[in-house]
Short mmCIF file of all heavy atoms in Angstrom, two decimals:
data_model
loop_
_atom_site.label_atom_id
_atom_site.label_comp_id
_atom_site.label_asym_id
_atom_site.label_seq_id
_atom_site.Cartn_x
_atom_site.Cartn_y
_atom_site.Cartn_z
N LEU A 1 88.42 -41.41 18.17
CA LEU A 1 89.76 -41.08 17.67
C LEU A 1 90.25 -39.82 18.36
O LEU A 1 90.04 -38.70 17.90
CB LEU A 1 89.70 -40.90 16.15
CG LEU A 1 88.91 -41.98 15.40
CD1 LEU A 1 88.86 -41.66 13.92
CD2 LEU A 1 89.50 -43.35 15.64
N GLY A 2 90.93 -40.00 19.48
CA GLY A 2 91.32 -38.87 20.31
C GLY A 2 92.54 -38.11 19.83
O GLY A 2 92.79 -37.00 20.28
N LEU A 3 93.32 -38.70 18.93
CA LEU A 3 94.56 -38.06 18.48
C LEU A 3 94.61 -37.91 16.96
O LEU A 3 95.67 -38.02 16.36
CB LEU A 3 95.78 -38.87 18.96
CG LEU A 3 95.94 -39.02 20.48
CD1 LEU A 3 97.08 -39.98 20.78
CD2 LEU A 3 96.21 -37.67 21.12
N LEU A 4 93.46 -37.66 16.36
CA LEU A 4 93.40 -37.66 14.91
C LEU A 4 94.17 -36.50 14.29
O LEU A 4 94.46 -36.51 13.09
CB LEU A 4 91.94 -37.62 14.46
CG LEU A 4 91.63 -38.17 13.06
CD1 LEU A 4 92.19 -39.57 12.89
CD2 LEU A 4 90.13 -38.15 12.79
N ARG A 5 94.53 -35.50 15.10
CA ARG A 5 95.35 -34.41 14.56
C ARG A 5 96.76 -34.88 14.23
O ARG A 5 97.47 -34.25 13.46
CB ARG A 5 95.43 -33.27 15.59
CG ARG A 5 94.10 -32.58 15.86
CD ARG A 5 94.29 -31.42 16.83
NE ARG A 5 93.03 -30.77 17.16
CZ ARG A 5 92.26 -31.16 18.17
NH1 ARG A 5 92.63 -32.18 18.91
NH2 ARG A 5 91.13 -30.52 18.42
N ASP A 6 97.19 -35.97 14.84
CA ASP A 6 98.52 -36.53 14.61
C ASP A 6 98.50 -37.31 13.30
O ASP A 6 97.73 -38.27 13.16
CB ASP A 6 98.90 -37.45 15.77
CG ASP A 6 100.31 -37.99 15.67
OD1 ASP A 6 100.80 -38.18 14.53
OD2 ASP A 6 100.93 -38.26 16.71
N PRO A 7 99.34 -36.94 12.30
CA PRO A 7 99.32 -37.65 11.01
C PRO A 7 99.57 -39.15 11.15
O PRO A 7 98.93 -39.95 10.47
CB PRO A 7 100.45 -36.96 10.23
CG PRO A 7 100.57 -35.61 10.85
CD PRO A 7 100.27 -35.80 12.31
N GLY A 8 100.50 -39.53 12.03
CA GLY A 8 100.77 -40.95 12.22
C GLY A 8 99.57 -41.69 12.76
O GLY A 8 99.28 -42.83 12.36
N TYR A 9 98.86 -41.06 13.67
CA TYR A 9 97.64 -41.66 14.23
C TYR A 9 96.58 -41.81 13.15
O TYR A 9 95.90 -42.84 13.06
CB TYR A 9 97.13 -40.77 15.37
CG TYR A 9 95.94 -41.31 16.13
CD1 TYR A 9 96.12 -42.03 17.30
CD2 TYR A 9 94.63 -41.06 15.69
CE1 TYR A 9 95.02 -42.51 18.01
CE2 TYR A 9 93.54 -41.53 16.39
CZ TYR A 9 93.73 -42.25 17.56
OH TYR A 9 92.65 -42.72 18.26
N GLY A 10 96.47 -40.78 12.29
CA GLY A 10 95.51 -40.85 11.20
C GLY A 10 95.80 -41.98 10.23
O GLY A 10 94.90 -42.67 9.76
N GLU A 11 97.08 -42.18 9.92
CA GLU A 11 97.46 -43.28 9.04
C GLU A 11 97.13 -44.62 9.68
O GLU A 11 96.66 -45.55 9.01
CB GLU A 11 98.96 -43.19 8.74
CG GLU A 11 99.34 -41.98 7.89
CD GLU A 11 100.84 -41.82 7.75
OE1 GLU A 11 101.57 -42.70 8.28
OE2 GLU A 11 101.30 -40.83 7.14
N GLY A 12 97.36 -44.73 10.98
CA GLY A 12 97.03 -45.96 11.68
C GLY A 12 95.54 -46.23 11.67
O GLY A 12 95.11 -47.39 11.55
N TRP A 13 94.74 -45.17 11.78
CA TRP A 13 93.29 -45.34 11.74
C TRP A 13 92.83 -45.83 10.38
O TRP A 13 91.95 -46.69 10.27
CB TRP A 13 92.60 -44.03 12.10
CG TRP A 13 91.15 -44.00 11.75
CD1 TRP A 13 90.50 -43.14 10.91
CD2 TRP A 13 90.13 -44.92 12.21
NE1 TRP A 13 89.17 -43.43 10.82
CE2 TRP A 13 88.91 -44.52 11.61
CE3 TRP A 13 90.13 -46.02 13.06
CZ2 TRP A 13 87.71 -45.19 11.84
CZ3 TRP A 13 88.93 -46.69 13.29
CH2 TRP A 13 87.73 -46.29 12.69
N GLU A 14 93.43 -45.32 9.31
CA GLU A 14 93.06 -45.78 7.98
C GLU A 14 93.35 -47.27 7.81
O GLU A 14 92.57 -48.01 7.21
CB GLU A 14 93.80 -44.97 6.91
CG GLU A 14 93.34 -43.52 6.79
CD GLU A 14 91.87 -43.42 6.43
OE1 GLU A 14 91.40 -44.22 5.59
OE2 GLU A 14 91.20 -42.54 6.99
N LEU A 15 94.48 -47.73 8.36
CA LEU A 15 94.81 -49.16 8.30
C LEU A 15 93.83 -49.98 9.12
O LEU A 15 93.42 -51.07 8.72
CB LEU A 15 96.24 -49.37 8.79
CG LEU A 15 97.36 -48.83 7.89
CD1 LEU A 15 98.72 -49.00 8.58
CD2 LEU A 15 97.37 -49.53 6.54
N LYS A 16 93.45 -49.44 10.28
CA LYS A 16 92.51 -50.16 11.14
C LYS A 16 91.14 -50.23 10.49
O LYS A 16 90.46 -51.27 10.55
CB LYS A 16 92.42 -49.46 12.49
CG LYS A 16 91.65 -50.24 13.55
CD LYS A 16 91.75 -49.56 14.91
CE LYS A 16 91.09 -50.40 15.99
NZ LYS A 16 91.20 -49.76 17.33
N LYS A 17 90.72 -49.15 9.85
CA LYS A 17 89.43 -49.14 9.17
C LYS A 17 89.43 -50.14 8.01
O LYS A 17 88.41 -50.82 7.76
CB LYS A 17 89.13 -47.72 8.67
CG LYS A 17 87.71 -47.52 8.21
CD LYS A 17 87.36 -46.05 8.09
CE LYS A 17 88.26 -45.30 7.18
NZ LYS A 17 87.81 -43.91 6.95
N LYS A 18 90.56 -50.25 7.32
CA LYS A 18 90.68 -51.24 6.25
C LYS A 18 90.58 -52.65 6.81
O LYS A 18 89.94 -53.52 6.21
CB LYS A 18 92.01 -51.05 5.52
CG LYS A 18 92.23 -52.01 4.38
CD LYS A 18 93.58 -51.77 3.71
CE LYS A 18 93.82 -52.76 2.57
NZ LYS A 18 95.15 -52.56 1.94
N TRP A 19 91.18 -52.87 7.98
CA TRP A 19 91.10 -54.19 8.63
C TRP A 19 89.66 -54.52 8.97
O TRP A 19 89.19 -55.64 8.75
CB TRP A 19 91.96 -54.19 9.88
CG TRP A 19 91.97 -55.50 10.63
CD1 TRP A 19 92.79 -56.57 10.42
CD2 TRP A 19 91.11 -55.88 11.72
NE1 TRP A 19 92.49 -57.59 11.30
CE2 TRP A 19 91.47 -57.19 12.11
CE3 TRP A 19 90.07 -55.24 12.39
CZ2 TRP A 19 90.83 -57.86 13.15
CZ3 TRP A 19 89.43 -55.91 13.42
CH2 TRP A 19 89.80 -57.20 13.79
N TYR A 20 88.93 -53.54 9.51
CA TYR A 20 87.52 -53.76 9.82
C TYR A 20 86.76 -54.16 8.56
O TYR A 20 85.95 -55.10 8.58
CB TYR A 20 86.90 -52.48 10.38
CG TYR A 20 87.04 -52.31 11.88
CD1 TYR A 20 87.69 -51.20 12.43
CD2 TYR A 20 86.49 -53.24 12.76
CE1 TYR A 20 87.79 -51.02 13.80
CE2 TYR A 20 86.59 -53.08 14.14
CZ TYR A 20 87.24 -51.97 14.65
OH TYR A 20 87.35 -51.81 16.01
N ALA A 21 87.02 -53.46 7.45
CA ALA A 21 86.30 -53.76 6.21
C ALA A 21 86.60 -55.18 5.74
O ALA A 21 85.70 -55.90 5.28
CB ALA A 21 86.69 -52.75 5.13
N GLU A 22 87.86 -55.59 5.86
CA GLU A 22 88.23 -56.95 5.45
C GLU A 22 87.58 -58.00 6.33
O GLU A 22 87.40 -59.14 5.90
CB GLU A 22 89.76 -57.09 5.49
CG GLU A 22 90.48 -56.27 4.43
CD GLU A 22 91.98 -56.26 4.61
OE1 GLU A 22 92.45 -56.71 5.69
OE2 GLU A 22 92.69 -55.81 3.69
N GLU A 23 87.21 -57.61 7.55
CA GLU A 23 86.54 -58.53 8.46
C GLU A 23 85.02 -58.50 8.32
O GLU A 23 84.30 -59.14 9.09
CB GLU A 23 86.92 -58.19 9.91
CG GLU A 23 88.38 -58.41 10.24
CD GLU A 23 88.81 -59.86 10.07
OE1 GLU A 23 87.99 -60.75 10.39
OE2 GLU A 23 89.93 -60.10 9.62
N GLY A 24 84.53 -57.71 7.35
CA GLY A 24 83.09 -57.64 7.14
C GLY A 24 82.40 -56.66 8.06
O GLY A 24 81.18 -56.76 8.28
N ILE A 25 83.14 -55.70 8.60
CA ILE A 25 82.58 -54.66 9.47
C ILE A 25 82.72 -53.34 8.74
O ILE A 25 83.82 -52.80 8.60
CB ILE A 25 83.31 -54.62 10.83
CG1 ILE A 25 83.21 -55.99 11.53
CG2 ILE A 25 82.75 -53.52 11.72
CD1 ILE A 25 84.11 -56.12 12.74
N LEU A 26 81.59 -52.82 8.24
CA LEU A 26 81.60 -51.65 7.37
C LEU A 26 80.92 -50.47 8.07
O LEU A 26 80.16 -50.64 9.03
CB LEU A 26 80.88 -51.97 6.06
CG LEU A 26 81.48 -53.14 5.26
CD1 LEU A 26 80.61 -53.45 4.05
CD2 LEU A 26 82.90 -52.85 4.84
N PRO A 27 81.18 -49.24 7.58
CA PRO A 27 80.57 -48.06 8.21
C PRO A 27 79.05 -48.16 8.28
O PRO A 27 78.40 -48.62 7.35
CB PRO A 27 81.01 -46.92 7.30
CG PRO A 27 82.31 -47.39 6.71
CD PRO A 27 82.13 -48.87 6.50
N LEU A 28 78.51 -47.73 9.39
CA LEU A 28 77.07 -47.79 9.60
C LEU A 28 76.32 -46.96 8.57
O LEU A 28 75.26 -47.37 8.08
CB LEU A 28 76.73 -47.30 11.01
CG LEU A 28 75.25 -47.28 11.40
CD1 LEU A 28 74.69 -48.70 11.44
CD2 LEU A 28 75.06 -46.59 12.74
N GLU A 29 76.88 -45.79 8.19
CA GLU A 29 76.20 -44.93 7.23
C GLU A 29 76.15 -45.55 5.84
O GLU A 29 75.41 -45.09 4.98
CB GLU A 29 76.88 -43.57 7.18
CG GLU A 29 78.34 -43.62 6.76
CD GLU A 29 79.02 -42.26 6.89
OE1 GLU A 29 78.46 -41.36 7.53
OE2 GLU A 29 80.12 -42.13 6.33
N GLU A 30 76.92 -46.64 5.63
CA GLU A 30 76.86 -47.37 4.37
C GLU A 30 76.04 -48.65 4.51
O GLU A 30 76.03 -49.49 3.61
CB GLU A 30 78.28 -47.71 3.89
CG GLU A 30 79.12 -46.47 3.58
CD GLU A 30 80.55 -46.82 3.21
OE1 GLU A 30 80.85 -48.03 3.07
OE2 GLU A 30 81.38 -45.90 3.08
N GLY A 31 75.39 -48.80 5.65
CA GLY A 31 74.54 -49.97 5.86
C GLY A 31 75.16 -51.06 6.70
O GLY A 31 74.52 -52.08 6.97
N GLY A 32 76.44 -50.89 7.09
CA GLY A 32 77.10 -51.92 7.88
C GLY A 32 77.53 -53.10 7.03
O GLY A 32 77.42 -53.07 5.80
N GLY A 33 78.04 -54.14 7.69
CA GLY A 33 78.50 -55.33 6.98
C GLY A 33 77.98 -56.58 7.63
O GLY A 33 77.25 -56.53 8.64
N PRO A 34 78.36 -57.75 7.12
CA PRO A 34 77.84 -59.02 7.65
C PRO A 34 78.28 -59.30 9.09
O PRO A 34 77.62 -60.03 9.81
CB PRO A 34 78.40 -60.07 6.68
CG PRO A 34 79.57 -59.41 6.02
CD PRO A 34 79.22 -57.96 5.93
N ARG A 35 79.42 -58.71 9.52
CA ARG A 35 79.88 -58.96 10.89
C ARG A 35 79.66 -57.77 11.81
O ARG A 35 80.06 -57.81 12.97
CB ARG A 35 81.37 -59.32 10.90
CG ARG A 35 81.70 -60.69 10.34
CD ARG A 35 83.13 -61.06 10.66
NE ARG A 35 83.36 -61.18 12.10
CZ ARG A 35 84.57 -61.29 12.67
NH1 ARG A 35 85.65 -61.25 11.91
NH2 ARG A 35 84.71 -61.42 13.97
N GLY A 36 79.01 -56.73 11.31
CA GLY A 36 78.74 -55.60 12.18
C GLY A 36 78.91 -54.28 11.47
O GLY A 36 79.31 -54.21 10.30
N ALA A 37 78.61 -53.22 12.20
CA ALA A 37 78.71 -51.86 11.66
C ALA A 37 79.72 -51.07 12.48
O ALA A 37 79.95 -51.35 13.66
CB ALA A 37 77.34 -51.18 11.70
N LEU A 38 80.32 -50.08 11.84
CA LEU A 38 81.38 -49.28 12.47
C LEU A 38 80.99 -47.82 12.47
O LEU A 38 80.57 -47.26 11.46
CB LEU A 38 82.69 -49.46 11.69
CG LEU A 38 83.89 -48.64 12.15
CD1 LEU A 38 84.35 -49.10 13.53
CD2 LEU A 38 85.04 -48.77 11.15
N VAL A 39 81.12 -47.17 13.65
CA VAL A 39 80.96 -45.72 13.75
C VAL A 39 82.19 -45.18 14.47
O VAL A 39 82.88 -45.90 15.19
CB VAL A 39 79.68 -45.32 14.51
CG1 VAL A 39 78.44 -45.82 13.79
CG2 VAL A 39 79.71 -45.81 15.95
#
């Protein structure tokens, strides 16, 4: 996340992270998901 200081970029990342979760890709520190892990 190269532009996380930008509020708009941060909001977009939250939406993207939600999309990953809906696809079964969860944070690695939480054990990951059925379709993969996210860092």
